[in-house]
Amino acid sequence: MNGDPLHSLLRTRWLGRHLRRLERCRSTNDEAAAWAREGAPSGSIVVAEEQTGGRGRLGRTWHSPPGENLYFSAVLRPPLPPHRAPPITLAVAVAVAEAVESLGIEPELKWPNDLLVDGRKLCGILTEMTLAGGRIDFVIVGIGVNLHALAFPPELRERATSLRLLLGHDPDGERFVAELCLRLERWCERYVAEGAAPVVAAWKQRARLFGREVTVSGGREPVRGVAEDLDEDGALILRRPDGSAARVLAGEVS
Ligand code: BTN
């Protein structure tokens, strides 16, 4: 870590204090999980210049060309039972939103964990948990932020944006990572100390979903209804056309 440009910028106590920087890897989530299995302490981070097999939610790939974007994964070892893991993803989304807001951009949070600006995706989050003996061994939070991209492949052109495009100039990537680490550390600590309520409140403040008619797909059957609330597990509560409530834990909102 000493000698790394991030070192002098970090204002955290534990998050980002152990760092692996890679030119290229398949997925920073895989690298972080392998490191965690070797004993990486909580807060260790992996940052890569390029991913050859970047992964998104629901089995998708994550566009990961060299040098353009942030491919970041953190190892977390929260002292929590596994059933309290789901809101960690919401806490991560709030932390990334705050880091983006520090640049003067106001992102929207889209359930379960996308950051959008003007309807275009700026960041995606992939959280993966490993259990040991019925307890959380580690959680890997993988964060992809479009930093410098000026153009996207045709299939993403209408759906993606970058900090470079939004700011009109290149963001300082190292400062952004330092800010992200600080916000992540704060929100992880807050969730462990205070529970899900402040995380859910901060998440809901940045959502535009509530009161809208949506369809959530990805499960066995798509669920349609008006988005009413987010519960303390991060589940989306929908009011179906027949008046009944549906609680959805995963999927894709449209
Ligand atoms: C999604 O929106 O579907 C989640 C995308 C998550 C992408 C990040 S990039 C860093 C980390 N490594 C991966 O392979 N995926 C996550």
Side-chain angles (χ1 to χ4, degrees):
M1 178 71 187
N2 278 341
D4 191 278
L6 192 58
H7 184 65
S8 58
L9 298 170
L10 264 188
R11 288 172 290 149
T12 56
R13 286 185 300 111
W14 53 274
L15 210 146
R17 293 284 158 190
H18 297 262
L19 165 69
R20 278 190 184 168
R21 234 183 239 281
L22 304 169
E23 247 335 282
R24 177 189 296 140
C25 66
R26 214 161 67 91
S27 155
T28 54
N29 268 29
D30 295 349
E31 295 290 335
W35 193 12
R37 281 191 288 274
E38 290 162 11
S42 193
S44 301
I45 63 171
V46 177
V47 179
E49 283 295 305
E50 177 185 5
Q51 297 187 119
T52 54
R55 293 186 282 115
R57 290 175 53 245
L58 307 171
R60 297 189 181 130
T61 58
W62 184 255
H63 175 62
S64 307
E68 279 193 10
N69 302 319
L70 177 63
Y71 315 116
F72 172 108
S73 296
V75 177
L76 301 177
R77 298 186 187 271
L80 299 171
H83 75 268
R84 288 194 56 203
I88 292 172
T89 304
L90 302 180
V92 173
V94 170
V96 186
E98 284 188 350
V100 170
E101 284 158 8
S102 75
L103 299 174
I105 295 168
E106 306 253 298
E108 168 194 350
L109 292 182
K110 182 178 170 223
W111 188 84
N113 51 12
D114 289 347
L115 268 82
L116 308 183
V117 180
D118 301 329
R120 290 169 186 258
K121 188 154 163 169
L122 176 65
C123 162
I125 298 165
L126 180 67
T127 308
E128 297 175 309
M129 173 167 68
T130 297
L131 303 177
R135 303 187 56 83
I136 296 180
D137 186 6
F138 55 84
V139 175
I140 304 299
V141 295
I143 302 172
V145 183
N146 299 330
L147 289 183
H148 307 293
L150 277 169
F152 294 94
E155 67 279 13
L156 299 177
R157 205 162 284 155
E158 302 296 318
R159 296 193 283 123
T161 190
S162 70
L163 290 178
R164 167 75 180 85
L165 289 169
L166 293 164
L167 291 167
H169 61 82
D170 258 321
D172 182 325
E174 293 306 323
R175 281 187 193 282
F176 184 78
V177 172
E179 193 65 35
L180 177 61
C181 288
L182 182 66
R183 310 288 177 157
L184 263 182
E185 178 174 289
R186 284 191 188 153
W187 277 104
C188 289
E189 289 181 346
R190 189 150 186 214
Y191 174 51
V192 170
E194 297 175 39
V199 175
V200 169
W203 196 96
K204 278 160 71 171
Q205 262 174 26
R206 295 170 172 88
R208 310 231 174 105
L209 181 70
F210 300 108
R212 288 201 193 165
E213 168 126 8
V214 297
T215 301
V216 184
S217 45
R220 248 175 289 143
E221 299 259 304
V223 187
R224 191 166 64 85
V226 175
E228 271 196 349
D229 204 1
L230 194 72
D231 75 11
E232 298 230 326
D233 291 329
L236 187 63
I237 311 298
L238 299 181
R239 184 67 53 187
R240 290 195 189 93
D242 67 5
S244 63
R247 184 173 178 274
V248 196
L249 266 165
E252 186 79 359
V253 171
S254 55

